[in-house]
Amino acid sequence: MRRLPGSIGFSLVLVVLAGVLPVLAVVLGSGYERRAHEIDTISLTTLRLAQFYAYEQIAEANRLRAVLSAAATEKVVLNRDAAACGVLFRDMLLANPHYVNFALAAPDGEVLASALPFSRENLGNRKEFREALRKGDLAVGEYSRGRVSGIPILPFAYPVRDAQGAIVAVLIATQRLQDLGTSFDQSLMPTDSFVVMADHDGCRLYNYPPFEKAVVGEPLPPNVWSRMASGEQRTVFTEMGIDGLRRIFAVSHVSLDDGAPYLSIFVAIPERDALDQADMVTGTLLAWLSGSLLLSLCLAWLVGRLAIHAPLERLTRTAKRIGEGDLEARSGLIPAGGALGTLARSMDRMAENLASDRDALVQALESRDQEAQRRAALMDTSPDGIVIIDKDYRVVEANRRFAEMLGYTPEEIVGLRTWAYEATLSEAEIRSRFPMVVNILITFETRHKRKDGTTFPVEVSASGSRIFGQELLVAIVRDITERKLAEQALQASEERYRTLFEHSQDAIALREGNPARLAWVNPAFCRLFGYTPEEVRAMTGPNLWTLVHPDDREAARRGITLRLTEWFDTSRLRVRILTKAGECRWVDVTARLLRGSNDRMIMFMLRDVTEEQETRALLESAKAQAEAASRAKSEFLANMSHEIRTPLNGIVGMLQLLKLSGLDTELAGYVQMALQASQRLTRLLSDILDLSRIEAGKMPFVHEPFDVRDTVLEIRELLLPLARQSGIDCGLFVDPRLPRIVIGDAARLQQLLTNLVGNALKFTKAGQVAITVSRLPAPDESRCRLLFSVADTGVGIPEATLPHLFEPFTQSAHGHRRDHPGAGLGLAICRRLVDLMGGDITLESEVGAGTTVTFSLPFGLPDAPQRPGPRPDAEPAGGCRGLSVLLAEDDALTRTAMRLLLERAGHAVTPAENGRAALDALAAKAVDVILMDIQMPVMDGLEATRRIRAGEAGPERAATPVIAMTAYAMAEDRERFLAAGLDGHIAKPVDAKELFGFLERFAADRATGGTPPAS
């Protein structure tokens, strides 16, 4: 057997070894990488498992938040109903088996209710309770063990808010940590692996599976906790466990609302599980590599005999494939040396170079195609037309938009000369203006012509360049039809506004710049001020304010400069201006801040209101004069009433004394007629004062509950003696549907009925007077409307008089004949009162048949049924003993008459002619009551009352009742006197029966300890 050449065998051995050594290196490196990969894989798996458990806890916390949030809105929780909350919490415990208990605590920490029996305790110092109050949201507490069960728990707290957002209670829930083992059972972790839950301080809360060396409640090993507490949300590290086994730890922290972590969950898997698997795979590969090496050596010796023939055969086949165009063909022969090796390497390099050249050519062609596609896409998607023109002014290329603008197809546009679509320049002008296309760089506007002959405006941006040695012009053409139309519209709008500005009757000016100046004024402004536009524009800064009157400049500065800020853009004010001639005129100024400009520009519009201002001043002067005249009339009437009532009071007093002196029938009749005349005069004074107050708008109205039936009945009872005296039947009908109590002004209602019933009795000689009260429909349930009717069978009123009957001082009889006395004020006052009270009044009459006056008034209804109070004119329960009375009155006649009347009634009277004398008399002797006139010399009644209340007559007499007996008879006078400290009010002229009744009621109220009557 022929031996192989040494060089070939050695080469074969080297080839085999050279092939095996890299593989060996790869196997060893792969083993090392596999170990690292296995550790990374298990680390990632462990981290995902820790994250999964953390996400489960976060989901459980969010679910608990939803449960507690829903419970916090329950009415029984908001009302802190302990029994109902206990039932609710037990239902919640059944629905949430992973929780030990649900409870409710007050804001001070006191436990109010619980699902399980509990002893009274305060949770105010527990962490979850304090955090829930501080954050106003779900909070977690510290790990603990159940007092009875001893199982580990984790408490949570959630605030309960009322409708105003205030925390009224705190819900408490305790989670059972050992229930987490259900999810840990499904993890199928390797042997010696475990899951641990720790709190924020590193205290071990839960182990799965449990083992003796890891005690729940004790801190974690320092080396593990220091790596866990690094501050990262998730981390993986390798550390030695307390059992001496090295493990891979994956940690995930759990927190509420991105706050500090309250729980850390880590999963630990032994590192050896990962390394054993990697080492096993590496050993298997090394075994296979050893077998392969042995087999390769054997085959190398067998192939040796073919060491020459086989390479040559391969070189031949490779050359043939390359010749056929297969540039990927390679010889695959890499001998150590010799001609065959050189040939094989040369052939392979040649094939590689050919393949590289082919790839470069293909790539260049593809790049050119891509560039052409990009350029075509760019041109076709451009909103503007793009056209390329050669030096002969012929279109070489154009995009689709340019062709569409001119109405051609892309194929038709190529080859066109520029003057074929240029509508403004001719061929000669184009050649003259653009002789060298390569030097063109210009943007201009022109018009292009479409295929159909129409033209349109365009903007052309042209730039010449040399491309591949060819002179070309690239132009971007934009259709500016819309822009031109907008410019034309803007120009037309500016022209319209300029016309309005120039022809406006109001003065208009624009202020701008720094210093400020009036940059634009219209002719009306120049006419108003008397300046030319040049003179106005020359004014700057402070000179502008000289156009404003000196007294109005500060107000104008505040109204314009200070108001026109970023919050307000308009200011309106009225000021005076000074014209060039020095004339002062009033103008209304509207200043508007124009925000569209960069500079602070203000537009002023001024309207001359001098005539309006002068008219307003005249009107205000006339109004002031009218109001002064009205006040003077009211004061005159009030003063005349006072001056008439004072002597009239003396006359009435003396007449009443005569009546009580035992006169015979004839003289008593004379006295009675004099008293009736006095009463008529008193009513006339009251009517005149009422009419004056109504016209001045000072008539007071009250809104208080009163009994309608009693009020109407009082009027009937009051006037019934007069009816019986005249032999007239006075009937009354009240609708049974009438509400018993209404809200309104009973006194004004009585005044209306008194006037109307009194008129009916006065004008009726025979027959009857009927009073009817009924209810009308009302717009809502809180209001009612009543209809009052007074019908008589009197003389009637002529039809010609009816339209004027409600006017003051109007009567049906004219001339010197007067069958019925009166001043003609009653119906006028009734009409005014009804109008002021929101009602309506009508009158129907027929001469000889009678008259019917009907009026309706709105009243309020009380929210709840009310009982009417006692009638003000109720008689006292007992008699009246003699009182000691201090009578302060400056009029001698009135003082004498009142003294004699009071003494006849059994009272002891001490007279005083003024307030000073009354004060001295009270200081000398105590009295039961003081009758005090208001208007007196030396010291008036109000001043005397103030000094009595201040104790000048003695501290023990400061509370002596003081009754105003005065000619000031208006209701506002009465209220003013009562507010000044007086206890009652009697108007002059004083009726003896009224005075005695007042004193009797006063004595009765004083005897029973009640409040004296006010009037």
Side-chain angles (χ1 to χ4, degrees):
M1 183 175 180
R2 184 181 299 177
R3 297 176 60 88
L4 292 174
S7 60
I8 294 176
F10 184 70
S11 297
L12 290 175
V13 171
L14 290 180
V15 168
V16 172
L17 291 178
V20 170
L21 288 177
V23 174
L24 178 61
V26 169
V27 170
L28 294 177
S30 175
Y32 179 81
E33 290 180 357
R34 184 172 294 276
R35 287 168 63 96
H37 175 71
E38 289 294 333
I39 291 176
D40 292 341
T41 300
I42 292 181
S43 298
L44 182 59
T45 303
T46 306
L47 180 59
R48 289 176 177 173
L49 193 58
Q51 289 177 345
F52 172 75
Y53 294 148
Y55 291 153
E56 280 193 334
Q57 181 61 25
I58 293 173
E60 180 62 25
N62 290 332
R63 193 183 70 81
L64 177 60
R65 186 198 305 271
V67 170
L68 294 182
S69 174
T73 61
E74 292 290 336
K75 187 175 181 180
V76 296
V77 175
L78 291 172
N79 295 336
R80 304 197 294 185
D81 186 345
C85 287
V87 174
L88 174 64
F89 294 159
R90 285 189 287 276
D91 293 340
M92 292 170 60
L93 204 58
L94 292 175
N96 300 272
H98 295 317
Y99 291 86
V100 178
N101 192 16
F102 289 94
L104 181 68
D108 59 357
E110 191 68 21
V111 177
L112 303 176
S114 173
L116 301 178
F118 69 100
S119 59
R120 291 288 179 181
E121 63 175 333
N122 193 289
L123 307 180
N125 293 327
R126 288 176 53 166
K127 176 184 176 183
E128 69 275 12
F129 186 89
R130 297 195 309 270
E131 287 297 305
L133 290 178
R134 183 183 66 83
K135 297 194 308 180
D137 202 353
L138 184 67
V140 65
E142 302 287 354
Y143 159 84
S144 62
R145 285 182 174 272
R147 294 186 175 182
V148 179
S149 62
I151 61 176
I153 58 174
L154 191 63
F156 291 83
Y158 188 84
V160 179
R161 299 180 183 271
D162 59 12
Q164 288 73 33
I167 297 177
V168 298
V170 176
L171 288 168
I172 306 297
T174 52
Q175 183 183 17
R176 182 186 293 109
L177 295 178
Q178 68 182 20
D179 289 348
L180 299 177
T182 303
S183 59
F184 298 156
D185 285 336
Q186 303 173 2
S187 59
L188 302 178
M189 295 184 297
T191 306
D192 294 330
S193 300
F194 57 82
V195 181
V196 175
M197 297 175 63
D199 65 5
H200 61 91
D201 290 328
C203 178
R204 190 186 303 266
L205 305 182
Y206 182 75
N207 289 322
Y208 178 83
F211 55 103
E212 296 179 355
K213 293 184 179 181
V215 180
V216 174
E218 293 186 355
L220 297 173
N223 61 328
V224 176
W225 175 244
S226 62
R227 299 288 295 275
M228 289 176 59
S230 62
E232 298 180 357
Q233 184 68 23
R234 296 178 295 272
T235 183
V236 179
F237 58 91
T238 304
E239 277 293 343
M240 191 71 67
I242 57 177
D243 56 355
L245 188 63
R246 191 172 182 84
R247 290 181 174 86
I248 298 172
F249 292 83
V251 183
S252 183
H253 300 290
V254 181
S255 60
L256 291 178
D257 301 327
D258 299 330
Y262 71 89
L263 186 68
S264 298
I265 300 177
F266 66 90
V267 180
I269 297 179
E271 187 183 49
R272 66 172 182 235
D273 291 343
L275 299 181
D276 290 347
Q277 181 69 22
D279 292 342
M280 182 180 67
V281 173
T282 303
T284 302
L285 291 177
L286 288 175
W288 278 102
L289 181 61
S290 300
S292 299
L293 177 60
L294 180 61
L295 181 61
S296 298
L297 291 174
C298 294
L299 291 176
W301 288 102
L302 294 176
V303 174
R305 65 175 59 192
L306 300 175
I308 302 300
H309 180 267
L312 288 177
E313 184 68 21
R314 180 170 294 182
L315 287 175
T316 302
R317 291 197 301 271
T318 300
K320 184 177 179 181
R321 291 174 57 191
I322 292 173
E324 293 174 352
D326 183 6
L327 300 181
E328 300 298 327
R330 299 290 184 272
S331 65
L333 300 177
I334 311 176
L340 290 178
T342 303
L343 181 60
R345 288 192 295 273
S346 298
M347 186 176 293
D348 289 344
R349 282 196 298 271
M350 180 185 67
E352 289 174 359
N353 291 335
L354 290 175
S356 177
D357 292 342
R358 185 193 62 186
D359 294 341
L361 179 60
V362 171
Q363 185 176 4
L365 293 175
E366 290 177 351
S367 297
R368 187 188 65 179
D369 293 341
Q370 292 176 358
E371 179 65 24
Q373 292 174 1
R374 284 195 297 269
R375 184 169 60 84
L378 180 63
M379 292 184 66
D380 288 339
T381 58
S382 173
D384 297 327
I386 302 176
V387 59
I388 301 176
I389 304 170
D390 61 13
K391 63 180 180 178
D392 296 326
Y393 310 99
R394 184 182 288 107
V395 175
V396 176
E397 185 178 356
N399 68 346
R400 187 178 303 276
R401 173 58 180 157
F402 184 77
E404 292 173 351
M405 290 167 59
L406 298 179
Y408 293 95
T409 64
E411 294 76 15
E412 292 175 336
I413 202 70
V414 176
L416 282 180
R417 297 294 184 101
T418 55
W419 44 83
Y421 56 82
E422 170 57 38
T424 303
L425 301 176
S426 63
E427 177 183 355
E429 290 173 333
I430 293 174
R431 291 183 181 276
S432 173
R433 292 181 59 179
F434 309 107
M436 298 288 292
V437 296
V438 73
N439 297 328
I440 296 175
L441 182 61
I442 189 173
T443 299
F444 61 96
E445 293 182 4
T446 184
R447 298 186 68 84
H448 280 179
K449 182 172 58 178
R450 298 187 182 93
K451 184 178 180 180
D452 59 5
T454 59
T455 62
F456 60 98
V458 293
E459 180 185 73
V460 181
S461 297
S463 176
S465 63
R466 191 180 298 276
I467 303 175
F468 299 116
Q470 187 179 3
E471 296 181 3
L472 298 174
L473 177 68
V474 179
I476 299 176
V477 182
R478 175 170 298 174
D479 188 344
I480 57 174
T481 302
E482 293 183 0
R483 190 175 79 186
K484 287 295 184 180
L485 292 175
E487 290 176 355
Q488 293 172 3
L490 179 60
Q491 184 177 1
S493 176
E494 289 178 352
E495 187 63 30
R496 285 195 299 270
Y497 281 115
R498 184 179 293 105
T499 302
L500 289 174
F501 182 82
E502 296 292 339
H503 295 85
S504 173
Q505 297 301 314
D506 292 336
I508 304 175
L510 291 179
R511 193 190 79 171
E512 64 180 2
N514 189 13
R517 64 184 184 89
L518 297 181
W520 195 14
V521 293
N522 68 340
F525 187 93
C526 296
R527 289 195 300 269
L528 177 62
F529 284 92
Y531 291 97
T532 64
E534 293 75 16
E535 290 174 333
V536 173
R537 284 192 287 268
M539 297 181 181
T540 59
N543 294 335
L544 293 175
W545 292 108
T546 60
L547 299 175
V548 183
H549 193 279
D551 295 342
D552 294 346
R553 286 173 189 169
E554 186 60 30
R557 283 193 180 95
R558 289 196 305 269
I560 297 174
T561 306
L562 299 182
R563 181 173 175 82
L564 295 182
T565 63
E566 60 180 349
W567 300 107
F568 300 97
D569 58 4
T570 303
S571 176
R572 294 181 176 88
L573 66 158
R574 177 169 290 188
V575 297
R576 288 167 292 178
I577 62 169
L578 295 176
T579 66
K580 184 178 181 180
E583 181 185 2
C584 177
R585 302 194 67 81
W586 285 91
V587 294
D588 277 344
V589 182
T590 300
R592 180 180 295 276
L593 181 63
L594 304 181
R595 301 184 183 276
S597 58
N598 294 328
D599 296 333
R600 181 181 173 87
M601 182 180 292
I602 301 176
M603 181 179 71
F604 295 95
M605 297 184 66
L606 296 85
R607 176 167 295 179
D608 191 344
V609 293
T610 304
E611 295 182 359
E612 177 186 340
Q613 187 69 19
E614 292 173 351
T615 303
R616 178 181 296 180
L618 291 175
L619 291 175
E620 291 177 353
S621 176
K623 179 183 177 184
Q625 292 175 5
E627 291 175 349
S630 177
R631 285 194 301 270
K633 182 183 73 171
S634 299
E635 292 172 0
F636 170 75
L637 291 175
N639 187 54
M640 289 304 298
S641 171
H642 181 275
E643 294 302 320
I644 294 173
R645 284 176 184 269
T646 297
L648 182 60
N649 185 62
I651 295 172
V652 171
M654 288 302 179
L655 290 173
Q656 292 177 116
L657 282 173
L658 287 173
K659 186 177 180 180
L660 296 174
S661 63
L663 299 175
D664 56 27
T665 303
E666 182 179 0
L667 293 177
Y670 296 156
V671 171
Q672 182 63 32
M673 286 187 290
L675 286 172
Q676 291 177 353
S678 300
Q679 291 173 357
R680 284 178 53 198
L681 182 57
T682 303
R683 285 196 298 271
L684 177 60
L685 289 173
S686 298
D687 288 346
I688 293 174
L689 289 177
D690 283 344
L691 183 61
S692 174
R693 285 188 295 173
I694 291 174
E695 290 179 346
K698 297 181 179 179
M699 175 63 74
F701 292 93
V702 297
H703 297 276
E704 57 188 11
F706 68 94
D707 190 318
V708 182
R709 290 177 176 84
D710 289 349
T711 301
V712 178
L713 187 59
E714 287 175 9
I715 300 302
R716 180 179 178 275
E717 295 297 328
L718 177 66
L719 299 175
L720 191 58
L722 178 60
R724 289 173 178 171
Q725 181 181 353
S726 303
I728 300 172
D729 181 22
C730 187
L732 173 62
F733 171 77
V734 179
D735 188 346
R737 298 177 300 133
L738 227 63
R740 182 68 183 274
I741 303 298
V742 297
I743 299 175
D745 195 327
R748 298 304 171 201
L749 177 60
Q750 287 184 331
Q751 184 178 0
L752 286 168
L753 291 174
T754 301
N755 278 341
L756 296 177
V757 177
N759 277 350
L761 292 173
K762 182 170 64 174
F763 289 97
T764 303
K765 299 301 182 183
Q768 67 173 356
V769 173
I771 306 172
T772 305
V773 185
S774 56
R775 184 170 185 174
L776 297 176
D780 56 72
E781 297 180 355
S782 64
R783 306 280 296 172
C784 71
R785 195 171 189 89
L786 303 184
L787 180 67
F788 300 87
S789 175
V790 178
D792 63 62
T793 57
V795 297
I797 303 172
E799 186 176 355
T801 309
L802 290 179
H804 309 287
L805 202 58
F806 287 107
E807 297 176 1
F809 308 106
T810 299
Q811 293 182 323
S812 60
H814 299 280
H816 298 287
R817 178 182 172 183
R818 188 65 57 88
D819 296 328
H820 306 282
L825 293 176
L827 287 178
I829 293 175
C830 289
R831 176 62 175 269
R832 307 288 177 87
L833 286 177
V834 169
D835 289 343
L836 291 175
M837 296 172 71
D840 300 295
I841 185 169
T842 60
L843 186 146
E844 297 177 355
S845 184
E846 183 180 351
V847 177
T851 303
T852 300
V853 181
T854 304
F855 67 93
S856 64
L857 293 176
F859 295 96
L861 293 175
D863 296 334
Q866 299 186 13
R867 296 179 61 87
R871 293 177 61 173
D873 58 348
E875 294 296 330
C880 173
R881 68 173 180 84
L883 301 174
S884 58
V885 180
L886 174 57
L887 177 62
E889 172 61 59
D890 64 319
D891 184 67
L893 179 60
T894 299
R895 187 168 63 249
T896 301
M898 291 296 103
R899 178 178 61 81
L900 294 174
L901 283 172
L902 291 170
E903 288 176 347
R904 272 183 172 275
H907 303 295
V909 181
T910 301
E913 64 274 11
N914 55 58
R916 178 72 261 177
L919 196 61
D920 296 339
L922 181 61
K925 178 185 176 182
V927 296
D928 294 324
V929 64
I930 303 172
L931 297 178
M932 182 77 72
D933 188 16
I934 297 300
Q935 184 172 320
M936 295 185 293
V938 182
M939 182 184 295
D940 61 58
L942 293 179
E943 179 64 24
T945 302
R946 281 193 288 269
R947 295 196 178 194
I948 291 172
R949 298 291 185 244
E952 288 193 18
E956 70 280 0
R957 294 165 190 168
T960 302
V962 182
I963 310 301
M965 189 174 67
T966 175
Y968 292 106
M970 294 186 181
E972 54 266 29
D973 295 329
R974 172 182 175 274
E975 298 299 330
R976 179 162 55 91
F977 300 151
L978 295 179
L982 283 85
D983 299 286
H985 175 267
I986 300 175
K988 295 178 180 178
V990 177
D991 182 86
K993 186 183 297 185
E994 178 186 356
L995 175 61
F996 296 155
F998 184 86
L999 292 176
E1000 287 178 3
R1001 291 196 301 273
F1002 171 80
D1005 289 328
R1006 185 178 175 210
T1008 58
T1011 302
S1015 62

